[in-house]
Amino acid sequence: MADRYLSFTGTAPGRFLTRRLGLPQPTALHRWSAEHPSFTGELLHLGAGKSPLDGPDGLAAVLARTGLAVRARSERPVAVVLDATGVTDIDTLAEVHAALHPVVRSVARSGRVIVLGAPLDTADHHQAAVQQALEGFVRSLGKEIGRGITVTLLRLTDANAAESTLRFLLSPKSAYVSGQVIGIGGAEVTAPADWALPLAGRTALVTGAARGIGEAVAATLARDGARVVCLDVPGAAVELESVAGRLGGTALALDITAPDAGARILAALPSDGLDVLVHNAGITRDRRLVNMAAERWSPVLDVNLASVLRTTDALLSAGGLRTGGRIVATASIAGLAGNAGQTNYAASKAGVAGLVRALAPTAAAEHGITVNAVAPGFIETKMTAAVPLFIREAGRRMNSLGQGGLPVDVAETTAWLAHPASGGVNGQVVRVCGQSLLGA
Ligand code: NAI
């Protein structure tokens, strides 16, 4: 269902009328396309405190490789990167204000503000206090800046380990990711031979790929060079074959809740195994708990969580995921914030976040695999088109960007987490929600 309000506010009379009535004025977001794959313009590189990321092979070198023109001053930057890793006390925190206060107004529409922070030092409560302060700062700026601009905080110690993340955030691919705090470990990373085809030679399996977000994920991973195995229920075999055929991949018609699903996936994979596993299949069976029979509880927990646990275990124990592999699961902001009528769904999605956080360190240590989750907010799909108009409108507008996301927004975030150079991103639950007010 098209967002007619967004189209209307994109016209001159629509802008005039909605401004007069004090209604939200969402900006049409700049998303990735083959014709416009990256931003063009200036990147304003600012600092606060003494940065540990300075140095010949440090942050400046990574930013220079993004393709944007890096400047210390700019009249109209498309992106601002403020290095606040050296913020350790109230005085250096004031430098964050001093650096950004004069420039926020000049950031281009659909642009980016990225603040770089350091991990919290639990042995230094002054550093921990002002580094934590950056989260409140970033989340507030995201809510007030407007004009389709996103604001993100990255915590990092090594700029090279953050290159795939910086490239993602400094591109149209991250249009609907805002108000997030993302931690990046200091992993050893190898740049892909071709940043435009990072998944070349790799195999990815996407569950629930016949339509919606899963279809977009499969298409995006295929765009990035992956051979895709598209899995969905036998009842969706026709759509599934069509998606897989279009992407030059293979179709696997299988109910992910089948007890032997892990074994059947292993049998369907190429002999060298899998590089990327995307747990996307999911269902809802909404009712308030008082009206929720077990028949509504069990299938949701089975598809959204139990099968994710079972297939992950089956593939890991059989060595089905290669070293350097990536697992990306699908949570939901409903699982983080809670949602009336969704005790079953929110429990399953919160469970996904728990699985990710617990498995990430061991999967990395024992298998060299990262485990992360995307947590979509309101995404325009058949699922949300079926939501009653008033609730749908509220879902669309109640976020900092004033509009719903598209399946491709979740897909791009998944592709960044699946990237071979994203080894430092592990155990993260990244919301793709335009900074939804739900659970913010
Ligand atoms: P959708 O209903 O359009 O697609 C889900 C796909 O999963 C369908 O093709 C379905 O056949 C498949 N599937 C369901 N049960 C399966 C099973 N047992 N085995 C194999 N495949 C199965 O849903 P949508 O909107 O694309 O959602 C995808 C994921 O994103 C789900 O996990 C959903 O919970 C999550 N999500 C979606 C949001 C949204 O706004 N659309 C918001 C937050 C999370």
Side-chain angles (χ1 to χ4, degrees):
M1 177 95 36
D3 184 345
R4 294 213 180 90
Y5 182 80
L6 177 62
S7 316
F8 179 59
T9 53
T11 64
R15 254 193 309 278
F16 174 77
L17 195 66
T18 49
R19 191 174 300 138
R20 289 293 292 269
L21 293 173
L23 293 170
Q25 297 202 296
T27 298
L29 302 178
H30 177 173
R31 291 187 167 87
W32 184 94
S33 67
E35 300 75 45
H36 303 287
S38 42
F39 289 137
T40 46
E42 294 185 336
L43 183 161
L44 180 60
H45 179 186
L46 303 171
K50 166 119 192 58
S51 171
L53 304 177
D54 288 344
D57 193 27
L59 178 63
V62 172
L63 294 180
R65 290 197 289 271
T66 62
L68 292 166
V70 184
R71 301 278 184 268
R73 280 160 199 268
S74 173
E75 294 291 313
R76 197 93 187 125
V78 69
V80 180
V81 174
L82 172 75
D83 181 358
T85 51
V87 166
T88 50
D89 55 23
I90 296 288
D91 289 343
T92 42
L93 182 62
E95 293 177 28
V96 172
H97 167 266
L100 288 176
H101 164 68
V103 301
V104 275
R105 201 194 298 269
S106 62
V107 181
R109 292 177 91 78
S110 217
R112 301 284 182 268
V113 175
I114 300 170
V115 177
L116 306 180
L120 268 53
D121 183 351
T122 45
D124 177 352
H125 59 283
H126 288 247
Q127 189 270 7
V130 292
Q131 281 294 328
Q132 184 82 45
L134 294 175
E135 296 192 14
F137 175 85
V138 158
R139 292 204 167 104
S140 300
L141 183 57
K143 289 185 177 181
E144 70 184 36
I145 195 164
R147 292 178 292 129
I149 299 164
T150 68
V151 187
T152 313
L153 174 64
L154 284 191
R155 295 203 183 282
L156 73 168
T157 50
D158 173 357
N160 284 294
E163 180 160 351
S164 65
T165 304
L166 284 164
R167 283 178 180 254
F168 168 66
L169 292 173
L170 290 167
S171 81
K173 294 177 178 175
S174 56
Y176 203 61
V177 177
S178 192
Q180 298 304 293
V181 179
I182 299 165
I184 303 185
E188 198 62 38
V189 292
T190 316
D194 180 354
W195 280 94
L197 284 172
L199 296 176
R202 291 172 190 246
T203 305
L205 179 111
V206 182
T207 71
R211 67 179 204 190
I213 294 172
E215 179 184 358
V217 170
T220 303
L221 299 182
R223 176 205 66 190
D224 283 357
R227 288 182 302 252
V228 285
V229 182
C230 303
L231 182 153
D232 212 299
V233 287
V238 174
E239 297 89 330
L240 186 67
E241 288 285 352
S242 143
V243 171
R246 185 163 50 80
L247 302 176
T250 49
L252 178 57
L254 170 67
D255 186 330
I256 199 70
T257 63
D260 61 346
R264 288 178 56 192
I265 289 172
L266 282 163
L269 291 178
S271 56
D272 54 355
L274 194 63
D275 300 283
V276 180
L277 169 61
V278 183
H279 294 293
N280 163 79
I283 59 168
T284 52
R285 296 284 184 274
D286 297 355
R287 277 287 189 283
R288 287 178 186 263
L289 184 60
V290 68
N291 297 321
M292 187 182 291
E295 293 73 48
R296 287 189 178 268
W297 173 270
S298 309
V300 171
L301 269 293
D302 203 17
V303 176
N304 298 3
L305 183 58
S307 74
V308 175
L309 288 161
R310 273 194 305 266
T311 21
T312 300
D313 290 352
L315 287 180
L316 285 181
S317 62
L321 268 156
R322 296 202 286 183
T323 304
R326 306 275 180 257
I327 298 175
V328 185
T330 309
S332 162
I333 60 164
L336 310 180
N339 202 18
Q342 292 200 311
T343 51
N344 51 358
Y345 183 75
S348 72
K349 295 300 190 178
V352 165
L355 150 71
V356 161
R357 293 198 179 106
L359 183 60
T362 38
E366 290 171 18
H367 306 280
I369 288 166
T370 64
V371 188
N372 294 286
V374 288
F378 183 97
I379 305 295
E380 305 277 359
T381 63
K382 281 191 178 141
M383 189 170 104
T384 48
V387 170
L389 176 69
F390 184 71
I391 301 175
R392 188 169 67 233
E393 265 309 293
R396 276 178 176 151
R397 301 305 154 218
M398 281 171 57
N399 59 73
S400 297
L401 299 173
Q403 58 198 289
L406 300 181
V408 72
D409 297 323
V410 183
E412 295 287 12
T413 307
T414 303
W416 152 60
L417 295 169
H419 199 289
S422 293
V425 190
N426 197 21
Q428 304 290 305
V429 178
V430 181
R431 294 166 53 135
V432 186
C433 65
Q435 197 178 22
S436 168
L437 298 180
L438 261 188

